[in-house]
Amino acid sequence: MSGSSIWHPFTQHGLGEEIPLVDRAEGALLHLADGRTLIDAISSWWVTTHGHANPRIMAAIAAQAGKLDQIIFAGYTHAPAEEVAAGLRAIMPESLTRVFFSDSGSTCVEVALKMALGYWQARNEARHRIVVMEHSYHGDTIGAMSVGERGVFTQPYGPLLFDVGRVPFPAAGAEQATLDALEALCAQGDVAAFIVEPLVLGSGGMLFYSPDILAAMQTICAAHGVLFIADEVMTAWGRTGTLLACEQAGVVPDILCLSKGLTGGSVPLAVTMAREEIFQAHWSNDRAKMFFHSSSYTANPIACAAAAENLAIWREEPVLERIADLGTRQQQRLDALAATGVIDNPRRCGTIAAVDLPVRETSGGYLDTRQPRLVAFFREQGVLLRPLGNTVYVMPPYGITDDQLDTVWAAIAEAAARF
Ligand SMILES: *Cc1c(COP(=O)(O)O)cnc(C)c1O
């Protein structure tokens, strides 16, 4: 695409890498403009759940587009938004009574942080500190970066990011250190909220930890009155084997962030769900105490129609069975590859499978020089994969076929041997 003036995200244009032109997609298959096809093994960056161009969701979008495109959401409402809110209330934890709309994972995290800080402000308690987990990712806006892992991605903005408390990642065998650190921070009395990705740290390298630890962390927060924010932007909608990852730990957060698969991965939309007390803390007859947050496209009707249809699919189709089946199919391929001994640390959580390529001299973390070569190699094999450093993960749409999955894992086996 030489001649294009587009500045792409997370792309070093100076490397001159190919930027394919994608024409259309269905299921797990992408069709490029030049006739090539690619199997989308990362759900187009973790968003596509059922498959691309799901016919029910596409029809819902088309129907809504013929009716109401956009409406200011301050002081107005519409049927698709009401339907999404009611649908979420019906399947999400009962105590999350309030639904605030926004438009991306980063913005629903910003909303969650502002809700938590507003809650303590309204209660006149001086709690301003946010506690986070090492290796976390919560988005790329300034607030979301502040609560995420610092590194090469955030280095230029470091002086502007706010300070947070950090607990170590609960690596196997070192879980107690995480719990002790969380206890010590929460005991200081100035912590407003703890934000965490339940069970899987995605961008941090597909790092998994156990439901027991998630539950233990919530118990500590609850004991100190610290709000527990679950960022399920990636983990929700069945990715980890259950609708929410929190379910596996019996954890109900105070604030829940949802985006990516909320519309089945078709169009942008996000929600932040909150407990009634958090809403009530902002409830007053004083206009100075309202929740000061909005984006222009808050609860866009077309996006809400897509989300409402996604919720209907969850109610009416055997989605959890498809997810369980995909987990089994992933495990079979993972076991077969692990048996060859060419990869390290094979792991799976629900539909997500990951392996680490052996670390060679060239390894440089996220900027591992193999990464762009691997991406290009996988593309030659007809597969869209985007390793995180030396971690190769497969997070496909739930409708991926057996043949497609075989092609993906064959490409990984080949890469493990070559790179
Ligand atoms: C992707 C992601 C985000 C950011 O979502 P965007 O829609 O890209 O802004 C936030 N949190 C987690 C856990 C994510 O995986």
Side-chain angles (χ1 to χ4, degrees):
M1 280 300 289
S2 59
S4 171
S5 53
I6 294 171
W7 188 346
H8 285 268
F10 271 75
T11 299
Q12 178 45 274
H13 285 274
L15 295 177
E17 289 161 21
E18 185 199 10
I19 299 181
L21 181 65
V22 183
D23 192 33
R24 63 199 166 84
E26 79 273 325
L29 201 63
L30 307 173
H31 297 267
L32 306 190
D34 61 12
R36 285 179 292 169
T37 59
L38 289 178
I39 299 162
D40 185 354
I42 60 163
S43 296
S44 282
W45 243 351
W46 319 348
V47 300
T48 311
T49 50
H50 313 294
H52 284 279
N54 177 277
R56 290 183 62 168
I57 295 173
M58 296 302 107
I61 289 172
Q64 185 57 39
K67 222 166 148 186
L68 175 66
D69 55 347
Q70 163 69 4
I71 175 75
I72 177 174
F73 207 61
Y76 291 82
T77 192
H78 52 80
E82 296 296 339
E83 208 182 315
V84 172
L88 287 169
R89 286 280 282 118
I91 59 169
M92 294 296 164
E94 224 186 312
S95 57
L96 299 176
T97 52
R98 297 290 165 172
V99 180
F100 191 96
F101 286 94
S102 59
D103 41 28
S104 74
S106 302
T107 52
C108 73
V109 164
E110 299 278 355
V111 166
L113 298 173
K114 286 174 71 173
M115 280 178 178
L117 295 168
Y119 172 79
W120 292 115
Q121 171 75 33
R123 293 174 56 119
N124 275 319
E125 280 194 49
R127 290 183 181 244
H128 305 295
R129 195 129 76 120
I130 307 291
V131 173
V132 310
M133 183 181 279
E134 178 195 17
H135 300 312
S136 291
Y137 176 79
H138 298 290
D140 284 334
T141 51
I142 296 283
M145 277 195 293
S146 296
V147 295
E149 180 74 11
R150 308 291 165 91
V152 65
F153 329 95
T154 59
Q155 191 274 329
Y157 328 108
L160 294 177
L161 303 182
F162 58 78
D163 270 339
V164 294
R166 279 174 207 281
V167 301
F169 174 75
E175 292 95 342
Q176 195 57 44
T178 303
L179 301 181
D180 292 346
L182 186 60
E183 173 67 37
L185 282 164
C186 288
Q188 291 176 13
D190 64 342
V191 177
F194 174 55
I195 181 168
V196 71
E197 298 165 85
L199 303 191
V200 181
L201 273 56
S203 302
M206 292 302 152
L207 306 175
F208 303 161
Y209 64 92
S210 79
D212 291 353
I213 299 305
L214 183 60
M217 292 191 302
Q218 196 221 7
T219 302
I220 292 170
C221 289
H224 294 280
V226 169
L227 296 176
F228 191 91
I229 304 174
D231 176 357
E232 294 239 20
V233 167
M234 186 277 274
T235 49
W237 307 107
R239 276 306 165 196
T240 69
T242 43
L243 175 63
L244 293 180
C246 280
E247 264 173 69
Q248 295 177 42
V251 160
V252 175
D254 299 302
I255 302 179
L256 172 67
C257 301
L258 299 171
S259 186
K260 293 190 171 130
L262 173 58
T263 60
S266 57
V267 286
L269 187 69
V271 296
T272 307
M273 295 185 72
R275 272 196 11 235
E276 189 63 18
E277 293 93 310
I278 297 168
F279 172 78
Q280 290 300 337
H282 292 84
W283 197 97
S284 157
N285 55 13
D286 180 354
R287 296 186 71 239
K289 291 180 178 165
M290 69 175 90
F291 185 49
F292 289 108
H293 194 94
S294 170
S295 20
S296 307
Y297 288 102
T298 300
N300 171 262
I302 296 171
C304 286
E309 194 60 27
N310 174 49
L311 285 161
I313 290 172
W314 273 85
R315 282 191 300 271
E316 295 157 18
E317 297 185 21
V319 182
L320 282 173
E321 283 156 49
R322 283 178 203 150
I323 286 162
D325 177 61
L326 175 57
T328 307
R329 296 189 288 140
Q330 287 268 72
Q331 189 67 47
Q332 287 160 353
R333 276 104 183 150
L334 193 59
D335 289 344
L337 182 59
T340 65
V342 291
I343 49 94
D344 296 329
N345 199 11
R347 56 199 186 274
R348 182 177 70 86
C349 180
T351 69
I352 309 165
V355 302
D356 297 340
L357 300 186
V359 176
R360 309 233 160 88
E361 283 146 62
T362 54
S363 183
Y366 185 88
L367 300 183
D368 190 309
T369 56
R370 283 178 295 183
Q371 204 270 1
R373 289 184 290 128
L374 280 166
V375 169
F377 171 78
F378 288 131
R379 191 180 297 143
E380 283 162 28
Q381 307 294 307
V383 175
L384 166 53
L385 279 169
R386 197 181 155 96
L388 291 156
N390 68 324
T391 297
V392 182
Y393 66 92
V394 182
M395 193 194 295
Y398 306 150
I400 190 168
T401 66
D402 274 332
D403 286 350
Q404 289 170 335
L405 209 51
D406 283 337
T407 303
V408 170
W409 284 95
I412 296 171
E414 183 69 23
R418 283 209 209 179
F419 288 86

